[in-house]
Amino acid sequence: MKIVHFSAECYPFAKAGGLGDVVGALPKYLNQIGHQTSVLLPYYARIELSENERSLCFSTSVTLENNEFTASVYKVTDEDIGFPLFLVSVEGLTDRPNIYGYEDDAKRFVAFQRVGLQFLMAQDDLPDVVHVHDHHTGLIPFMMTQCPEFEKLKDIPTLLSIHNAQYQGSFPHEWGGLLPEFPETHVGLLDWDGMINPLATAIKTAWRVTTVSPTYMEELQQHANGLEGLLSHEAQKCTGILNGIDTETWNPKTDPFLEANYGVSTFAKARKINKTKLCNAHNLDPEVPLFGFIGRLVWEKGADVLVQALEEALNKWEFNVILLGSGDPALEERFKNLSEWYQGKVGAYIGYKESMSHEVYAGADFLLMPSRVEPCGLNQLYSFRYGCMPIVRKTGGLKDTVVDINDGGLGVTHEETESGQIVSAIERALQFFPKQTAFRKKQKEMMQTDHSWEHAAKKYASLYHELIKPESNEQ
Ligand code: ADP
């Protein structure tokens, strides 16, 4: 099967969170089971490639609100990525350092989608399935089915994966000139609450919809930032498929970011070395239990309540904390303040640092995830793989993957993103930590848990098959 993914992120070229990890891994695993999967990604300025590392394969232009932009598609020549990666460049729009955060993001991502579709149109061999991810690529199923410009693609099945329904990419109808021509009577497909809403459009027009965990699928029908009614209405075409992890990139045996690599029989000694390095870098005592947090500093991750809970717990018990994150400036400030007030107990790095995230999974004893919303969550899966016990709020994918130690599981869970509950969870973790034999046994089990993409890739492949051959399903 020939599958083309459209995404705003793809590890290691452009990653802001889990979307990047998923799109950097799923295509690789699909190809390992015999499919031909490629990815189209905007060519951001942060992707630094020499002339030898890319080849130009398509040149075009795109007209957005009467302005013409020059555009090109480059293929990355490195075969080790595990799939063909195509970078879509639109002069003046994609070629900026950051992935997100510009006032004209709507225009940037519409341009990316339109040029990507033009590129597909120019191929002799059309894909069997087009797989789009989140709102940044959500107008593709609409354009493929509604715009005469892309008539040739109209019968290709489309699949939308929702990684995060909080972000929907809405923009006013006055900017409709960003889109190619379509029948005016079909404008309703674009509309949600009086705006053009790319995520809603994709839910309406994609052939199938997946979310990144089964529980998140259920939760979205109750709370989806205004789209819950639509998701309930479209429930029959929605499925939850739990993300996997890339066990090659996230492998403590070979991870180049670690001071000491390790496997299930050597983890205790090596993790101690990693912990010591991490603690030394942040002026923390490596003999004390270490709790980590890694994530975008936003309301969804519960970072605000976490600060409150940590203050209370740090005043009661002896433990250390390492914080890694960036996002909301007010939350960044609170993280910074916490590390200043509790010097020698709390270390913080405000920013995005891939290497440090690996060091935290490999050195901290526990990882805190008090998320209000967590569509899948990859951090807890990386924690398992590295033998770091997750402490999670039971929501979305966290609920699907972490069972409490009191129920024979491998983590500490709590019901709500609430300060008192996080404090109690920390207390339970601290009570369990000194039982070294039991703790090590859990660590070993965690490291042996199989969350690799192999299972999930097969589930996506069977969904694609259903889309291509609907008649075989009916039999
Ligand atoms: P989300 O996609 O909501 O951000 P996920 O748990 O699905 O959350 O994925 C988060 C990914 O981003 C993980 O790979 C995590 O290690 C990484 N990450 C998040 N924040 C940072 C940061 N500040 N520095 C390095 N990696 C980070």
Side-chain angles (χ1 to χ4, degrees):
M1 239 180 320
K2 196 172 167 207
I3 306 125
V4 173
H5 290 257
F6 280 77
S7 172
E9 297 182 33
C10 179
Y11 179 81
F13 296 88
K15 167 176 164 183
L19 173 62
D21 284 342
V22 170
V23 180
L26 172 61
K28 192 161 88 176
Y29 284 82
L30 284 167
N31 289 350
Q32 283 172 11
I33 53 171
H35 302 292
Q36 292 165 270
T37 316
S38 54
V39 176
L40 269 73
L41 175 76
Y43 197 166
Y44 306 109
R46 62 170 57 200
I47 305 175
E48 289 173 10
L49 295 174
S50 67
E51 289 300 325
N52 292 337
E53 292 168 321
R54 58 173 211 196
S55 63
L56 178 66
C57 44
F58 182 64
S59 298
T60 187
S61 68
V62 62
T63 303
L64 304 155
E65 295 173 316
N66 300 323
N67 296 314
E68 190 172 310
F69 293 83
T70 305
S72 333
V73 178
Y74 295 87
K75 185 173 182 208
V76 178
T77 48
D78 180 358
E79 306 223 325
D80 290 343
I81 307 168
F83 49 87
L85 176 64
F86 296 95
L87 300 173
V88 175
S89 162
V90 187
E91 266 180 36
L93 294 178
T94 57
D95 48 1
R96 305 194 199 151
N98 294 333
I99 302 175
Y100 312 116
Y102 300 98
E103 268 183 7
D104 58 352
D105 274 356
K107 191 180 197 173
R108 296 171 68 229
F109 288 113
V110 171
F112 161 61
Q113 296 172 81
R114 289 184 56 180
V115 173
L117 288 179
Q118 285 187 32
F119 173 61
L120 289 195
M121 295 274 292
Q123 309 301 306
D124 296 331
D125 194 12
L126 293 179
D128 297 307
V129 178
V130 169
H131 189 156
V132 303
H133 298 268
D134 277 351
H135 74 82
H136 329 96
T137 56
L139 295 169
I140 284 174
F142 173 85
M143 290 195 274
M144 284 170 64
T145 50
Q146 307 299 321
C147 298
E149 182 182 342
F150 302 121
E151 166 88 18
K152 196 173 143 187
L153 308 174
K154 77 176 188 337
D155 294 323
I156 300 176
T158 50
L159 178 77
L160 162 74
S161 286
I162 303 178
H163 299 257
N164 196 331
Q166 292 296 113
Y167 308 104
Q168 300 171 2
S170 294
F171 56 88
H173 279 279
E174 291 77 69
W175 300 0
L178 294 174
L179 292 166
E181 211 177 291
F182 61 88
E184 245 175 70
T185 47
H186 293 184
V187 71
L189 291 172
L190 293 172
D191 184 81
W192 195 258
D193 269 348
M195 301 280 278
I196 294 180
N197 181 319
L199 189 67
T201 304
I203 296 167
K204 294 182 209 179
T205 54
W207 289 33
R208 290 293 287 268
V209 177
T210 63
T211 60
V212 289
S213 72
T215 294
Y216 188 52
M217 182 76 256
E218 284 166 28
E219 289 172 354
L220 281 181
Q221 294 177 29
Q222 308 301 321
H223 308 280
N225 201 7
L227 298 187
E228 43 286 325
L230 176 62
L231 281 154
S232 303
H233 183 255
E234 299 283 5
Q236 78 292 343
K237 70 175 187 191
C238 301
T239 324
I241 300 180
L242 196 67
N243 283 336
I245 60 170
D246 186 332
T247 47
E248 288 166 21
T249 304
W250 297 93
N251 184 355
K253 277 191 191 152
T254 53
D255 192 328
F257 294 123
L258 306 191
E259 180 75 7
N261 289 108
Y262 57 93
V264 276
S265 51
T266 52
F267 70 89
K269 205 168 147 206
R271 284 182 52 80
K272 183 97 201 237
I273 297 171
N274 294 325
K275 181 177 175 181
T276 304
K277 185 185 171 209
L278 190 61
C279 288
N280 288 346
H282 293 271
N283 189 27
L284 308 174
D285 176 0
E287 295 306 320
V288 174
L290 181 64
F291 290 65
F293 171 90
I294 301 169
R296 293 178 297 112
L297 301 186
V298 292
W299 179 88
E300 293 153 56
K301 299 286 178 193
D304 50 335
V305 183
L306 178 64
V307 175
Q308 203 184 326
L310 284 175
E311 270 190 62
E312 190 182 328
L314 283 162
N315 291 339
K316 287 187 176 168
W317 305 297
E318 175 90 31
F319 68 98
N320 290 338
V321 184
I322 189 92
L323 304 167
L324 168 62
S326 61
D328 176 351
L331 288 172
E332 289 187 354
E333 195 58 29
R334 290 184 66 186
F335 267 40
K336 249 188 263 162
N337 288 341
L338 195 74
S339 67
E340 276 160 23
W341 294 335
Y342 291 88
Q343 279 187 30
K345 284 184 154 225
V346 179
Y349 180 89
I350 307 300
Y352 187 94
K353 200 172 182 190
E354 190 69 28
S355 58
M356 183 169 164
S357 70
H358 291 240
E359 289 171 347
V360 174
Y361 297 123
D365 302 300
F366 299 96
L367 192 87
L368 293 152
M369 297 186 75
S371 309
R372 290 189 175 91
V373 182
E374 196 61 83
C376 175
L378 291 169
N379 299 11
Q380 81 281 16
L381 305 181
Y382 299 143
S383 290
F384 280 155
R385 179 111 171 114
Y386 283 67
C388 169
M389 184 174 276
I391 301 180
V392 308
R393 186 213 157 195
K394 284 206 261 178
T395 185
L398 298 175
K399 191 170 165 187
D400 291 335
T401 53
V402 184
V403 175
D404 195 275
I405 42 172
N406 286 349
D407 301 316
L410 301 172
V412 179
T413 65
H414 54 97
E415 294 293 331
E416 299 299 335
T417 302
E418 195 262 315
S419 178
Q421 295 198 15
I422 301 170
V423 173
S424 305
I426 292 174
E427 184 178 19
R428 284 207 290 129
L430 286 170
Q431 284 163 353
F432 188 58
F433 184 71
K435 299 173 189 156
Q436 280 294 301
T437 314
F439 191 69
R440 293 243 165 97
K441 191 163 168 274
K442 292 286 182 198
Q443 284 181 299
K444 201 168 174 179
E445 273 180 56
M446 281 182 230
M447 291 178 66
Q448 288 170 327
T449 323
D450 184 4
H451 280 290
S452 109
W453 264 110
E454 272 141 38
H455 307 292
K458 282 186 193 145
K459 289 190 182 164
Y460 279 104
S462 61
L463 250 188
Y464 300 148
H465 273 296
E466 281 178 27
L467 294 176
I468 295 171
K469 299 194 184 81
E471 69 285 359
S472 63
N473 258 346
E474 288 158 16
Q475 288 162 11

